[in-house]
Amino acid sequence: MTMRSADAASAVHVCFRNVSKRYGPAVLAVRDLTLDVFRGEFLTLLGPSGSGKTTALMMLAGFEEPSEGEILIDGQRIDIVPANRRGIGMVFQNYALFPHMTVAENLAFPLEVRKVPRPEIVQRVNAVLDMVRLTGVGSRRPDQLSGGQQQRIAVARALIFRPSLVLMDEPLGALDKQLREQMQYEIKDIHARLGVTFIYVTHDQTEALTMSDRIAVFNAGSIQQLSDPAALYERPQTDFVANFIGENNRLSGTLGPSEAGEVSVLLDGGTLRIRATRPEAMTAGAGAPATVSLRPERVAVLSDGATMPNELSAAVRSVIYVGDHLRLIADVPGIGPIIVKLPNGSGVPPLSPGADVRLGWRTEDCLALDR
Ligand SMILES: Nc1ncnc2c1ncn2[C@@H]1O[C@H](COP(=O)(O)OP(=O)(O)O)[C@@H](O)[C@H]1O
Ligand SMILES: [Mg+2]
């Protein structure tokens, strides 16, 4: 532990300051990244493939050097801290357990390197196996475990030396959907119990929303938005984030007058005007092009006599049964298709292709974003 005087400073565990990483003259993998990670939080770097997530993690782990800027752990530049003193546990997609060693030997390895006495090693190996719910498999070899079990051992090995910081890069990428979802909850649960700082990398937005305290959305080497999951979903600040996180209808138009956090938007085609929420960060004014973001589950099919602040007439193109919801695709003349997700079971009127419907939604459920 380092000496700290101010609580505010001690709350920051990891700090990237204006960090850039170039690979040769052509690739700028990370651009001017500035990010504070708080002690004990679960922070996820989320973004498409090639957006710089792994590079950011590798620089923090010390496997790559920043081209510019600095990285601090506990207020100290990492390049002055030897790799084995950084207290970082790591898990990667390809779990890379030592195949010729037993599970117990794999787990003991980080402790042997740290010269932990033998009796304590035995005790800690058993404790960590209990934690990942694999009690008793210590004498097996990795190839005698399933993929999910191997990945749990990889998580256990990253945690056994009690790191204060854990980095995970797409650790569940190789697992099938059901196991991946189960492991998401298990890793989140381990994080809650240990209270150490986790920095997690994924390209899977559902995984990020499920697991994280905060999410940094990466695109082309820089952070587009840093928010908690609800804010990211409810109040995306850019068109990129709105489309990357969850499903989204995008309506193009031109901004009209703004008032009290709302803005009117004249949709392309020139006949339909809607009211949208205007994000605080938006700088564009009347006359500027904009994209309106509208989540499919926030659109209602209006029954006769019902009204909403925003309404459109549409013709049903198709209705798809998805079990827990119905997925309706409706064509709006001059605008294009709008996707609607209707919860299955409660008062959905019978809909068939060709039927005319009125769609409606609240002003707070659609966001105007800079185009
Ligand atoms: N060792 C390397 N040499 C050259 N280019 C690299 C290297 N590693 C990554 N890149 C490039 O840097 C960019 C970011 O890669 P990466 O950090 O792996 O993204 P992500 O993890 O988000 O998929 C990509 O364009 C990738 O091709
Ligand atoms: Mg990667």
Side-chain angles (χ1 to χ4, degrees), residues 5 39 48 104 120 141 154 180 242 305 316 331 345:
S5 47
R39 187 172 305 285
E120 189 182 339
R141 280 212 322 274
R180 207 162 65 224
V316 174
D331 286 310

Side-chain angles (χ1 to χ4, degrees), residues 177-231:
K177 185 173 184 295
Q178 212 170 354
L179 193 53
R180 207 162 65 224
E181 287 171 358
Q182 184 192 338
M183 290 283 294
Q184 288 167 7
Y185 290 109
E186 285 184 21
I187 291 174
K188 194 172 153 64
D189 188 52
I190 288 171
H191 169 258
R193 271 186 286 157
L194 298 182
V196 301
T197 309
F198 274 43
I199 304 180
Y200 191 94
V201 164
T202 182
H203 64 270
D204 180 335
Q205 44 109 3
T206 309
E207 187 163 299
L209 292 173
T210 304
M211 300 180 79
S212 317
D213 295 319
R214 290 193 303 160
I215 300 170
V217 181
F218 270 60
N219 186 31
S222 42
I223 294 182
Q224 291 261 321
Q225 186 168 347
L226 174 62
S227 298
D228 62 71

Side-chain angles (χ1 to χ4, degrees), residues 50 53-55 169-170 201:
K53 310 179 298 292
T54 294
T55 302
D169 193 348
E170 312 250 7
V201 164

Side-chain angles (χ1 to χ4, degrees), residues 47-304:
S49 175
S51 58
K53 310 179 298 292
T54 294
T55 302
L57 219 56
M58 289 293 131
M59 288 189 287
L60 174 57
F63 299 133
E64 293 284 358
E65 227 178 299
S67 309
E68 282 159 43
E70 55 183 25
I71 304 173
L72 301 100
I73 297 179
D74 291 324
Q76 293 197 307
R77 291 198 46 164
I78 50 163
D79 41 357
I80 63 168
V81 183
N84 63 351
R85 298 280 299 278
R86 287 182 197 164
I88 301 179
M90 277 175 261
V91 186
F92 300 101
Q93 173 166 352
N94 301 313
Y95 8 89
L97 297 173
F98 301 117
H100 56 285
M101 292 184 185
T102 65
V103 166
E105 286 163 352
N106 265 280
L107 293 173
F109 185 75
L111 300 179
E112 283 163 0
V113 171
R114 288 169 176 77
K115 307 261 186 290
V116 175
R118 191 70 218 164
E120 189 182 339
I121 291 182
V122 172
Q123 182 262 319
R124 275 163 76 170
V125 166
N126 288 332
V128 85
L129 282 171
D130 291 346
M131 184 176 72
V132 297
R133 303 196 291 116
L134 285 174
T135 306
V137 307
S139 59
R140 294 198 212 164
R141 280 212 322 274
D143 64 5
Q144 296 171 312
L145 300 177
S146 71
Q149 289 172 327
Q150 288 180 43
Q151 195 56 320
R152 272 191 222 159
I153 298 300
V155 170
R157 192 176 58 176
L159 298 173
I160 196 163
F161 63 95
R162 298 176 185 155
S164 60
L165 174 62
V166 178
L167 311 182
M168 297 194 179
D169 193 348
E170 312 250 7
L172 309 182
L175 306 180
D176 65 39
K177 185 173 184 295
Q178 212 170 354
L179 193 53
R180 207 162 65 224
E181 287 171 358
Q182 184 192 338
M183 290 283 294
Q184 288 167 7
Y185 290 109
E186 285 184 21
I187 291 174
K188 194 172 153 64
D189 188 52
I190 288 171
H191 169 258
R193 271 186 286 157
L194 298 182
V196 301
T197 309
F198 274 43
I199 304 180
Y200 191 94
V201 164
T202 182
H203 64 270
D204 180 335
Q205 44 109 3
T206 309
E207 187 163 299
L209 292 173
T210 304
M211 300 180 79
S212 317
D213 295 319
R214 290 193 303 160
I215 300 170
V217 181
F218 270 60
N219 186 31
S222 42
I223 294 182
Q224 291 261 321
Q225 186 168 347
L226 174 62
S227 298
D228 62 71
L232 208 57
Y233 189 83
E234 304 286 341
R235 295 188 297 283
Q237 281 159 15
T238 68
D239 196 27
F240 175 84
V241 173
N243 288 296
F244 196 73
I245 312 290
E247 208 178 8
N248 189 33
N249 290 295
R250 307 164 81 186
L251 310 176
S252 302
T254 306
L255 293 179
S258 303
E259 192 191 349
E262 291 184 17
V263 60
S264 83
V265 181
L266 183 65
L267 298 184
D268 288 357
T271 55
L272 293 164
R273 191 173 284 281
I274 61 173
R275 293 200 68 73
T277 298
R278 182 188 170 91
E280 273 170 39
M282 188 179 219
T283 51
T291 300
V292 174
S293 158
L294 175 61
R295 300 289 186 198
E297 74 274 17
R298 302 292 165 84
V299 184
V301 175
L302 300 179
S303 50
D304 289 343

Side-chain angles (χ1 to χ4, degrees), residues 309-320:
N310 287 302
E311 292 182 15
L312 292 176
S313 297
V316 174
R317 186 198 293 182
S318 60
V319 184
I320 301 159

